[in-house]
Amino acid sequence: PDLVTVGNAVSRGNAELEAVLELGLPYTSLPEALRDLFLRDRQSIVITGTHGKTTTTAMTSWLLDQVGLNPSYLVAGLPRDLPKPYRLSTGPHFVLEGDEYDSAYFAKIAKFLFYRPKILVINNIEFDHADIYRDLDEIVRAFRQVINQVPSNGLICACGDDEVVNSLLQAAPAPCLRFGLDDANDFRAIDVEVDSGGQTFGITHRETSLGRWRIGAPGAYNIRNALAAVTVGHWLGIPVEDMRSPMAQFSGVRRRQEELGIIDGVRVIDDFAHHPTAVEQTLVGLRAAHSQGRLWAVFEPASASNARKTFEDRYLASFQSADAVVLAPVPRPERAGEDAPFSRSRLSLRLVECGKLSWFEPDAAAIATRLAENVEAGDTIVFMSNGGFGSVQTKTLDALRARR
């Protein structure tokens, strides 16, 4: 081969990697390959942040596509509106998700540092990835570096509702536009109305009203995702009226509040939430959208951070919008290393002490049985995991069908 791309899940000892090294073949990381082979001569629109990257990347790609800008894009998920999660096109823009996770075993730096953003979107910044970052300061350092890469004729599009993000903008070398729900933002959502099919809200650009807008997903964080896409579009010169319909038509990304069906009166939703903030915001949004019946949160602590006790206290607060919480085992608990491990039994007991229904089950089959025996018509179940979750979604749907 002319070049071998080594993914960040591959480490020394992998048979193919060892062959590459022994044969002296040229190799690179995926982010470097993207930069060198595909981003050259294109304007990178890099979507970053602890939460919302995939949805905002898909939404921005969809928006630019629908108004005729013919963008290239790379989405780290499966968009429902786009034919594939990637495209190499003839337009000048390349929209891609900028992950803060490391790039390869030989490039232990954030992927987004290779992407040379012309437009940088920052949704939020929190501590995560406890397996590679020691603390929030290390993550902030990576974001400070990528901010410093934006050219003076580019744009930093940042959520002004986030204190950490705001603190980094003070020394930004490029123009900044802030979006969010707070008064000080350049692009602000106002007068939000929530229903079971989504949300309607006004957008103001400083003192100018941009009218009413509609998106099909609940939650304040999805409004912020939409504001990020609109802010980028506005800066690119897309007329406001041309953006309104694509935003309303956007139907999301698989495993991001994806409704799997309503079986025997029970709504079943699949979501990728795997951080305390994402879990909390997902549940708050679903509670507002589906106020009738009980809300069941079914959580698999599948990430490397969740193998540790790091977020255990925060999850106690994150689940407060749920009526019942079912906790799955930690996949690969050895990833906690020398850190104190996450205890689902301890968290479940604390949730019960707070007045919640809560169980911890041994596997996906037991979870499906528990749900089928206890949920009622009008209830909503949301599965939350960034892992495979033992196909618990399918097992639960089957169990619900079997009880009819």
Side-chain angles (χ1 to χ4, degrees):
D2 296 317
L3 183 67
V4 177
T5 300
V6 180
N8 67 350
V10 175
S11 57
R12 290 301 304 265
N14 175 278
E16 293 179 344
L17 173 60
E18 294 304 319
V20 167
L21 297 176
E22 291 169 8
L23 294 171
L25 298 176
Y27 63 89
T28 189
S29 68
L30 175 62
E32 290 174 288
L34 282 170
R35 179 195 63 192
D36 297 339
L37 301 176
F38 303 105
L39 298 182
R40 186 176 299 172
D41 301 324
R42 288 185 172 88
Q43 297 180 19
S44 295
I45 302 174
V46 183
I47 313 295
T48 71
T50 309
H51 319 292
K53 293 185 292 293
T54 302
T55 298
T56 307
T57 303
M59 189 180 287
T60 305
S61 301
W62 167 252
L63 174 62
L64 269 58
D65 177 77
Q66 291 300 291
V67 300
L69 291 182
N70 201 20
S72 300
Y73 52 79
L74 179 61
V75 183
L78 296 174
R80 298 183 210 169
D81 305 288
L82 301 168
K84 294 180 180 179
Y86 58 87
R87 183 174 75 182
L88 189 62
S89 193
T90 56
H93 308 102
F94 199 124
V95 186
L96 71 165
E97 186 166 332
D99 191 359
E100 70 272 21
Y101 206 76
D102 60 14
S103 302
Y105 84 92
F106 53 85
K108 291 294 186 181
I109 62 174
K111 295 185 187 74
F112 57 48
L113 293 175
F114 291 104
Y115 294 156
R116 297 177 179 172
K118 179 66 176 287
I119 299 175
L120 176 67
V121 175
I122 310 176
N123 280 338
N124 38 64
I125 301 175
E126 286 196 80
F127 178 64
D128 197 5
H129 309 304
D131 51 326
I132 62 171
Y133 290 107
R134 287 180 297 182
D135 51 33
L136 178 60
D137 288 342
E138 285 197 348
I139 293 177
V140 168
R141 187 176 304 118
F143 277 93
R144 185 177 290 114
Q145 289 176 296
V146 74
I147 285 172
N148 204 39
Q149 293 180 356
V150 182
S152 58
N153 64 345
L155 174 70
I156 298 170
C157 172
C159 182
D161 298 344
D162 189 291
E163 293 183 6
V164 179
V165 173
N166 270 324
S167 70
L168 292 178
L169 299 183
Q170 298 171 9
C176 300
L177 287 174
R178 291 171 171 84
F179 63 86
L181 303 179
D182 295 345
D183 292 347
N185 289 294
D186 298 293
F187 288 81
R188 180 184 171 219
I190 60 172
D191 301 330
V192 178
E193 298 177 358
V194 182
D195 56 62
S196 60
Q199 306 177 85
T200 304
F201 51 91
I203 297 180
T204 60
H205 176 216
R206 301 188 175 118
E207 299 301 320
T208 302
S209 172
L210 303 185
R212 300 291 289 175
W213 297 70
R214 173 83 180 169
I215 59 173
Y221 58 98
N222 275 314
I223 293 178
R224 294 187 180 97
N225 295 339
L227 286 170
V230 170
T231 302
V232 169
H234 193 275
W235 190 81
L236 289 174
I238 302 172
V240 168
E241 290 307 317
D242 290 354
M243 292 192 282
R244 203 182 312 277
S245 178
M247 295 302 295
Q249 294 169 358
F250 178 73
S251 56
V253 181
R254 289 190 61 185
R255 299 202 68 189
R256 272 66 175 184
Q257 294 196 19
E258 179 183 9
E259 187 169 303
L260 302 179
I262 300 177
I263 310 297
D264 199 23
V266 178
R267 178 178 281 102
V268 182
I269 294 171
D270 194 18
D271 196 80
F272 203 67
H274 56 278
H275 182 282
T277 299
V279 168
E280 179 178 10
Q281 292 182 351
T282 297
L283 293 174
V284 168
L286 290 174
R287 179 80 285 168
H290 308 293
S291 57
Q292 303 300 315
R294 295 175 298 177
L295 179 57
W296 292 72
V298 187
F299 179 66
E300 181 188 45
S303 73
S305 295
N306 286 329
R308 297 160 169 82
K309 190 184 177 184
T310 307
F311 293 140
E312 193 175 305
D313 289 341
R314 288 190 57 190
Y315 277 122
L316 185 64
S318 298
F319 287 117
Q320 289 309 302
S321 291
D323 298 291
V325 181
V326 182
L327 300 172
V330 177
R332 296 171 55 201
E334 69 276 4
R335 288 178 297 169
E338 297 180 359
D339 297 331
F342 176 88
S343 171
R344 62 199 183 104
S345 60
R346 181 170 55 226
L347 177 57
S348 182
L349 178 60
R350 295 174 70 187
L351 287 165
V352 170
E353 291 173 348
C354 292
K356 303 292 179 185
L357 296 171
S358 183
W359 298 269
F360 53 97
E361 298 291 353
D363 53 36
I367 291 173
T369 299
R370 173 71 68 182
L371 293 170
E373 291 176 349
N374 287 275
V375 295
E376 302 170 353
D379 288 356
T380 297
I381 300 170
V382 55
F383 298 104
M384 294 180 287
S385 172
N386 66 330
F389 214 156
S391 299
V392 68
Q393 302 90 335
T394 301
K395 290 180 172 66
T396 300
L397 291 171
D398 290 343
L400 290 174
R401 292 187 185 103
R403 75 179 194 173
R404 287 193 295 194

